[in-house]
Amino acid sequence: MENNRPDPDKLLEQVKEEESRINQGKLKIFFGYAAGVGKTYAMLEAAAQMAEAGVDVAAGYIEPHARPETMALLDGLEQLPVLEIPYKNIVLREFDLDAALKRRPQLLLVDELAHTNASGCRHTKRYQDIQELLKEGISVYTTVNVQHLESLNDIVASITGITVQERIPDFVFDQADQVELVDIEPADLLERLKEGKVYCPKQAGTAMDHFFTLDNLTALREITLRRTADQVNRVTEKNREQNRESEYYTGEHILVCLSASPSNAKVIRAAARMANAFRARFTAVHVEAPGGEGMGDEDALRLRMNQRLAEQLGAKTVTLYGGDITRQIAEYARISGVSKIVLGRSYTKKKLFSQNVNFADQLTALVPRMEIYLIPDTYTRRYAKKNRLESIIAVKDKNYLKDSLAMLAVLGISTILAFLFRLLGINEANIVTIYILGVLIIALITENQIYNLLASVLSVVCFNIFFTIPYNSLKVRDPGYMITFLIMFLAGFITASLAKKVKSYGRQAVRKAWRMEILLDTSRKLQMAYGEKAIAETVAGQLVKLLDKDVVYYPGEPREGVRPYCFPREKNSCIERLLTKDETAVASWSYRNNKHAGASTGTLPGAKGLYLAVRSANAVYGVVGICLEDGFLPAFDESILNAMLNEAALALEKEQSTEDKNRARLQIRQEQLRSNLLRSISHDLRTPLTSISGNSGMLMQQGDNLSADQKQKLYEDIYDDSVWLYNLVENLLSVTKIENGSMELKQQPELLEDVISEALSHIRRRLRGHKIQVHLEDEFLMAWMDAKLIMQVIMNIVDNAIKYTPEDSHIDISAKKLGDRIYINIADDGQGIPDDRKEKVFDLFYTGEYQAADGTRSMGVGLSLCRSIVEAHGGKLEVRDNVPKGTCFLFDLKAEDVGGDNFPETAGKA
């Protein structure tokens, strides 16, 4: 039973995949082995059946055919207008993606899946147009031939002798919801060609002489049938995996080695076919050796294209660093559990005093238990020779003059020192070491291997001319010197080569350490960044440091008129190139589609910037734009870039999660406030309203039978209850304003004595024998305040003292000035408040366990409101014990000198 348990990770992956495809359109591919088998005809027939069933069908683009019976099927189907693009002296007709998105039919027909769009279209390839349609929920019918599949391109080329340029990644085909095979016998297809049903007679004759031969068509048909069977098996095994009837993953892990060789694409495709057949994990590895940064532009571009090809075919690309390429690959293969390694045939030049062991033999010796597959290619030998020659003569940054002068200068100094040694009588062996040292120095200060060779040769020549008999001549009298010259040359050249290699290792290590330091520094800074702007500034600043390019960051969806955060690499930068209307549109597309776009990509490649969505698994938070008008990003820099953007996305996700939690916490608090408010109102309003209603009813019904004193008593009770209700409503309104952040303070200097007197005049009717005394240090004390709100504070505190102290208690109100603050103290001699409840009395709706002396129950709003008002004035409200007994409430306000001109810095800040 244990083995039949579902894998939680796989179940989660299935759920995510199903959720992502719920709102997507469905893709059906009509698959054939050659033009003329009837793919478009079958597609149009199926579309007509769907239209009859009530489905909204439109033809987005149908390739013009010379076959009347095929074009007749378009009758009755809506045809969207095509996009016309002028090109030289002709007009190209392309599929109009924007028109299709605007029309939004349920089913759209788009012929020729592998078509390459004309310059000026949004995407480079038509399959990218279809991917965008699917994402928008539009289902698509399309057509493709077997020779257009990327992984089969080499096989088809070897059969037909023709390399097809228009290709699609295999994952586009594999992810199709349906694949319908359109098949006829090769002999029948040739007959159709002869009848002119595929091409015009002249083209048909040429095609039958080259591509459309019986052998070619038979082989292509076989490949098509096998590929269709593979697709069926893939779907079947996927269904079995979901039903847990069998295991889908075989445990195989295939590794392919990447290089800048022209034949490497063929190796990658072979490895991809193998990974597909074995249902294996697929990894592509490139080893950057010391000095690899000096690779020529052509090789660098080819390497980048090979890496992208591997990614398109489903590989995870990895970059390793080291001088021993074979050992680096072997160690990675051993650690990552690789089962099969796919290589191109390599040609190793035989070295002096060493056996001619090629790359595959070296790798086999290091990992003898792994299966190694070699893909032969005749072009590799020519490329290897060309590459070795270029590595010798290529000079980084073209510093010919500088390095040449440096070499001559060092050799000149070495010769001068050698003359001094001879004058001092030092023997020739030490003079030889002077020249070897010079060659070593030349290796360290120059940039190319050729200077090692030249310096070694020239040092031997100088030694021969100036320090061997006969002097000033290339002739050698003693034959033994020939051995000296050879050893001197070999020692100098080998030493210089090793020094050059150490220098390259050091440069590579520094560069890699610097990149990793930037990545770690980014992670550290993002952990300390708070707020979207701080996160954007952090990641963009680090990207400028890593790439040395202008960077812009759009928080949220880019829109015209909304300026992004700009981070130029230098003061005189041309970052404005990234702020045009067209560039903003590219950034907006990247945000909406959650994909890379712009320069060096297949979507809107004419843009001046590369735009990457800052995304997590569930959301897109912004877009980063990098000025990339010329060239492309190196693979390792791109991997570091993606890691930094992932870190930024996690930081933004964390920030949004914190905001959501705060919002939820605030909502819960507001719900609690609402609940407590309703509970308190339903309970506490009932008593005074009942009293007012009862007393009013008694006055109306028995008013004539009541004495004047009895009536007065009822009037006073009604008034007191009304005042209580009025104060309650005022407190509730103030609490609401504070919660909403809408309280506005109207501060001005007020005489404290007047404010206290006015507050006490409103509550004297509630006094039950309490004695209130006011002690002011100066009768002209003035403070900055909103008089109405401070009166409410004093009234609430004094009202609490009246409620919770017995009759005949004393309430003292005092005030004094200390520095620029006035401290107001309201004290009573009641029973006091326990220490563990002193802070709780300021909590909203806290009522404690005490009942008021008059038998009523408080709502617990007043003191919370008092603290909020005082803090809005820039003061602080505290509760303390009175001596010898009772409670003190102390708060402070900003003082104002009588006749002074001082005003607070923020008079209306709540």
Side-chain angles (χ1 to χ4, degrees):
M1 294 295 293
E2 187 71 21
N3 293 333
N4 291 328
R5 285 186 178 180
D7 186 339
D9 294 333
K10 289 185 177 181
L11 287 176
L12 180 60
E13 185 177 348
Q14 290 172 15
V15 170
K16 288 182 178 179
E17 183 179 355
E18 290 172 1
E19 288 179 350
S20 66
R21 295 179 69 91
I22 286 177
N23 298 322
Q24 286 194 0
K26 306 298 181 182
L27 175 62
K28 182 174 182 178
I29 296 177
F30 292 83
F31 189 44
Y33 65 86
V37 297
K39 301 182 300 299
T40 304
Y41 190 92
M43 178 179 70
L44 292 174
E45 273 193 330
Q49 294 173 4
M50 296 297 290
E52 290 177 1
V55 177
D56 181 15
V57 181
Y61 182 86
I62 302 297
E63 191 72 24
H65 290 80
R67 289 155 258 171
E69 64 273 17
T70 299
M71 303 308 293
L73 292 175
L74 278 172
D75 295 340
L77 290 178
E78 177 187 356
Q79 298 184 53
L80 300 183
V82 297
L83 181 65
E84 294 185 347
I85 300 177
Y87 179 75
K88 296 183 179 180
N89 297 324
I90 60 174
V91 176
L92 300 177
R93 296 164 56 86
E94 295 287 350
F95 168 58
D96 193 337
L97 175 60
D98 290 323
L101 291 173
K102 184 177 180 180
R103 169 63 176 79
R104 297 187 67 85
Q106 291 177 280
L107 175 61
L108 189 68
L109 311 181
V110 184
D111 212 0
E112 299 293 342
L113 176 63
H115 175 72
T116 300
N117 293 329
S119 177
C121 294
R122 181 180 306 170
H123 299 291
T124 305
K125 305 290 289 186
R126 183 167 291 170
Y127 77 82
Q128 295 173 308
D129 294 336
I130 291 178
Q131 286 179 323
E132 188 168 345
L133 291 169
L134 296 174
K135 189 174 181 180
E136 293 296 324
I138 302 172
S139 296
V140 176
Y141 281 2
T142 188
T143 63
V144 73
N145 284 327
V146 68
Q147 62 264 32
H148 297 291
L149 295 185
E150 183 67 67
S151 65
L152 300 175
N153 182 259
D154 295 325
I155 294 178
V156 172
S158 65
I159 294 172
T160 63
I162 300 173
T163 300
V164 177
Q165 299 301 324
E166 293 186 328
R167 303 187 293 269
I168 63 169
D170 283 43
F171 72 83
V172 177
F173 182 85
D174 294 336
Q175 292 176 359
D177 297 277
Q178 287 181 276
V179 175
E180 181 174 319
L181 177 64
V182 182
D183 182 53
I184 64 172
E185 289 290 337
D188 293 339
L189 178 57
L190 290 173
E191 188 64 29
R192 295 189 63 188
L193 271 170
K194 293 177 182 178
E195 295 174 357
K197 294 182 178 181
V198 179
Y199 298 123
C200 63
K202 184 177 180 181
Q203 289 179 318
T206 303
M208 293 177 68
D209 291 337
H210 295 86
F211 187 87
F212 284 83
T213 65
L214 183 61
D215 291 342
N216 285 353
L217 294 178
T218 303
L220 290 174
R221 187 188 186 204
E222 180 182 352
I223 296 172
T224 304
L225 292 172
R226 288 181 179 178
R227 192 65 178 85
T228 307
D230 288 343
Q231 175 71 2
V232 173
N233 290 338
R234 183 179 294 102
V235 174
T236 303
E237 290 177 1
K238 185 175 182 180
N239 292 334
R240 285 178 180 172
E241 179 202 10
Q242 293 175 351
N243 297 328
R244 292 181 285 119
E245 295 178 2
S246 67
E247 280 294 325
Y248 179 75
Y249 176 59
T250 62
E252 295 282 354
H253 186 182
I254 293 176
L255 181 145
V256 64
C257 299
L258 298 177
S259 72
S261 168
S263 65
N264 193 232
K266 178 180 179 180
V267 179
I268 295 168
R269 294 188 186 101
R273 291 194 297 271
M274 190 179 297
N276 184 57
F278 283 101
R279 306 291 186 266
R281 286 185 293 160
F282 186 25
T283 302
V285 171
H286 169 64
V287 181
E288 184 175 316
E293 67 276 8
M295 183 184 297
D297 293 340
E298 182 182 350
D299 285 346
L301 178 60
R302 191 182 297 112
L303 173 62
R304 187 73 186 106
M305 297 303 295
N306 288 338
Q307 288 172 326
R308 290 202 171 174
L309 173 62
E311 291 171 353
Q312 285 184 347
L313 293 174
K316 180 184 78 171
T317 57
V318 177
T319 302
L320 306 177
Y321 293 85
D324 193 338
I325 297 176
T326 312
R327 189 169 297 278
Q328 291 289 331
I329 293 174
E331 288 296 327
Y332 179 83
R334 188 180 296 112
I335 293 172
S336 57
V338 170
S339 57
K340 294 176 174 61
I341 300 176
V342 181
L343 306 172
R345 182 183 296 279
S346 61
Y347 296 90
T348 305
K349 184 179 179 180
K350 187 174 182 179
K351 298 181 180 179
L352 192 63
F353 308 122
S354 67
Q355 295 182 350
N356 187 12
V357 181
N358 63 31
F359 186 86
D361 292 338
Q362 296 176 40
L363 194 57
T364 302
L366 292 173
V367 283
R369 297 184 180 181
M370 291 186 191
E371 299 177 19
I372 298 177
Y373 296 83
L374 294 179
I375 309 300
D377 185 46
T378 56
Y379 188 80
T380 308
R381 184 185 295 273
R382 297 200 312 271
Y383 174 76
K385 291 180 179 179
K386 175 177 174 290
N387 194 43
R388 280 197 298 269
L389 180 61
E390 289 182 350
S391 66
I392 293 175
I393 65 174
V395 179
K396 186 179 180 181
D397 298 330
K398 304 294 188 294
N399 292 322
Y400 295 104
L401 182 61
K402 177 184 174 182
D403 288 348
S404 298
L405 292 176
M407 180 187 68
L408 294 175
V410 172
L411 287 175
I413 294 172
S414 300
T415 302
I416 293 172
L417 289 176
F419 273 113
L420 291 176
F421 274 35
R422 191 171 70 176
L423 292 175
L424 295 174
I426 299 174
N427 60 28
E428 293 176 348
N430 292 311
I431 293 176
V432 169
T433 59
I434 288 292
Y435 278 108
I436 293 176
L437 177 61
V439 173
L440 179 60
I441 294 174
I442 289 170
L444 294 175
I445 64 176
T446 58
E447 293 295 334
N448 199 268
Q449 187 78 7
I450 195 170
Y451 290 102
N452 300 350
L453 180 63
L454 289 175
S456 301
V457 172
L458 290 176
S459 65
V460 173
V461 172
C462 290
F463 179 76
N464 180 26
I465 293 175
F466 299 115
F467 302 102
T468 61
I469 300 173
Y471 297 126
N472 302 324
S473 172
L474 289 174
K475 296 180 180 180
V476 179
R477 182 175 299 176
D478 187 355
Y481 275 119
M482 300 304 296
I483 303 299
T484 303
F485 295 159
L486 178 61
I487 294 174
M488 181 179 176
F489 170 77
L490 292 176
F493 183 73
I494 293 172
T495 304
S497 298
L498 292 175
K500 185 78 70 178
K501 186 174 291 188
V502 170
K503 180 182 176 181
S504 297
Y505 277 135
R507 185 186 295 115
Q508 186 186 70
V510 168
R511 190 175 67 256
K512 183 179 179 183
W514 178 70
R515 288 166 168 169
M516 297 308 298
E517 182 182 353
I518 289 178
L519 181 60
L520 295 175
D521 190 43
T522 302
S523 178
R524 184 167 55 250
K525 288 182 176 180
L526 286 175
Q527 290 177 1
M528 298 184 292
Y530 296 99
E532 185 179 46
K533 184 176 181 180
I535 294 173
E537 290 176 348
T538 297
V539 70
Q542 294 296 97
L543 288 178
V544 172
K545 187 187 298 184
L546 172 69
L547 305 174
D548 191 30
K549 298 181 182 297
D550 297 332
V551 174
V552 295
Y553 178 84
Y554 290 89
E557 182 174 1
R559 296 186 301 275
E560 188 178 356
V562 177
R563 187 178 178 87
Y565 300 132
C566 298
F567 303 90
R569 62 175 176 174
E570 55 190 19
K571 291 183 178 179
N572 298 325
S573 174
C574 299
I575 200 169
E576 294 295 329
R577 293 174 295 185
L578 298 181
L579 305 180
T580 63
K581 179 180 178 181
D582 292 339
E583 295 296 309
T584 303
V586 179
S588 178
W589 189 94
S590 177
Y591 179 90
R592 287 184 283 105
N593 292 273
N594 193 9
K595 290 184 177 180
H596 300 346
S600 77
T601 71
T603 301
L604 301 168
K608 294 180 174 61
L610 169 64
Y611 296 90
L612 307 99
V614 182
R615 59 196 178 189
S616 64
N618 302 316
V620 179
Y621 301 99
V623 174
V624 166
I626 302 168
C627 187
L628 206 65
E629 283 190 276
D630 48 348
F632 49 86
L633 294 179
F636 188 71
D637 283 351
E638 187 170 348
S639 65
I640 296 291
L641 166 64
N642 289 329
M644 291 169 65
L645 293 183
N646 289 337
E647 290 278 352
L650 289 175
L652 290 168
E653 186 177 30
K654 179 182 176 183
E655 187 76 15
Q656 185 174 13
S657 176
T658 302
E659 290 179 2
D660 291 342
K661 288 180 181 178
N662 291 337
R663 196 179 298 112
R665 192 180 297 113
L666 178 61
Q667 187 175 1
I668 292 172
R669 183 182 174 188
Q670 290 174 342
E671 287 296 325
Q672 290 176 342
L673 172 63
R674 176 176 173 274
S675 176
N676 291 334
L677 186 60
L678 292 175
R679 175 182 56 79
S680 299
I681 288 177
S682 64
H683 180 274
D684 295 330
L685 289 184
R686 188 177 302 161
T687 301
L689 288 174
T690 302
S691 175
I692 291 173
S693 176
N695 291 337
S696 300
M698 185 176 293
L699 287 171
M700 287 187 297
Q701 295 173 7
Q702 303 181 15
D704 296 337
N705 300 327
L706 297 174
S707 64
D709 292 339
Q710 289 175 325
K711 289 182 179 180
Q712 184 64 30
K713 180 67 170 64
L714 291 176
Y715 290 144
E716 290 178 355
D717 289 344
I718 292 174
Y719 178 80
D720 289 341
D721 290 332
S722 301
V723 170
W724 188 90
L725 286 173
Y726 174 80
N727 292 334
L728 174 64
V729 171
E730 282 293 312
N731 286 340
L732 291 177
L733 288 175
S734 298
V735 167
T736 303
K737 289 180 180 179
I738 291 173
E739 287 293 326
N740 293 336
S742 59
M743 177 182 283
E744 294 184 3
L745 301 184
K746 299 177 181 179
Q747 296 190 65
Q748 61 183 13
E750 298 283 354
L751 197 61
L752 192 59
E753 183 179 16
D754 292 344
V755 175
I756 294 175
S757 299
E758 181 69 18
L760 294 178
S761 68
H762 289 283
I763 59 174
R764 289 195 182 278
R765 289 181 177 275
R766 299 184 59 83
L767 297 177
R768 305 186 318 275
H770 290 75
K771 297 179 177 60
I772 299 180
Q773 296 180 342
V774 179
H775 303 283
L776 301 180
E777 180 185 59
D778 184 347
E779 63 182 61
F780 294 107
L781 284 176
M782 296 188 72
W784 280 90
M785 69 178 80
D786 185 321
K788 183 178 179 181
L789 294 177
I790 295 300
M791 284 172 53
Q792 196 170 355
V793 171
I794 296 172
M795 290 167 57
N796 283 338
I797 296 176
V798 173
D799 187 60
N800 268 356
I802 294 171
K803 285 182 181 179
Y804 293 102
T805 59
E807 295 183 7
D808 299 327
S809 297
H810 295 81
I811 299 174
D812 293 324
I813 303 176
S814 60
K816 62 179 179 179
K817 181 180 179 183
L818 293 175
D820 63 344
R821 310 295 295 180
I822 293 178
Y823 291 86
I824 299 97
N825 186 46
I826 303 176
D828 64 60
D829 55 1
Q831 60 183 340
I833 300 175
D835 292 339
D836 61 339
R837 294 186 183 144
K838 280 187 170 62
E839 281 300 315
K840 292 182 180 179
V841 298
F842 296 109
D843 293 341
L844 194 60
F845 300 115
Y846 179 78
T847 57
E849 300 176 358
Y850 300 105
Q851 192 175 33
D854 59 1
T856 61
R857 180 179 175 85
S858 171
M859 284 186 65
V861 174
L863 290 179
S864 174
L865 174 64
C866 291
R867 170 170 277 188
S868 297
I869 292 174
V870 172
E871 290 178 349
H873 281 76
K876 186 177 181 182
L877 175 61
E878 298 177 344
V879 59
R880 301 177 180 177
D881 291 331
N882 193 18
V883 179
K885 66 174 184 175
T887 303
C888 294
F889 285 90
L890 178 69
F891 66 93
D892 62 299
L893 299 170
K894 181 176 177 60
E896 169 65 14
D897 293 332
V898 178
D901 296 327
N902 298 322
F903 293 90
E905 295 180 1
T906 55
K909 191 175 181 179

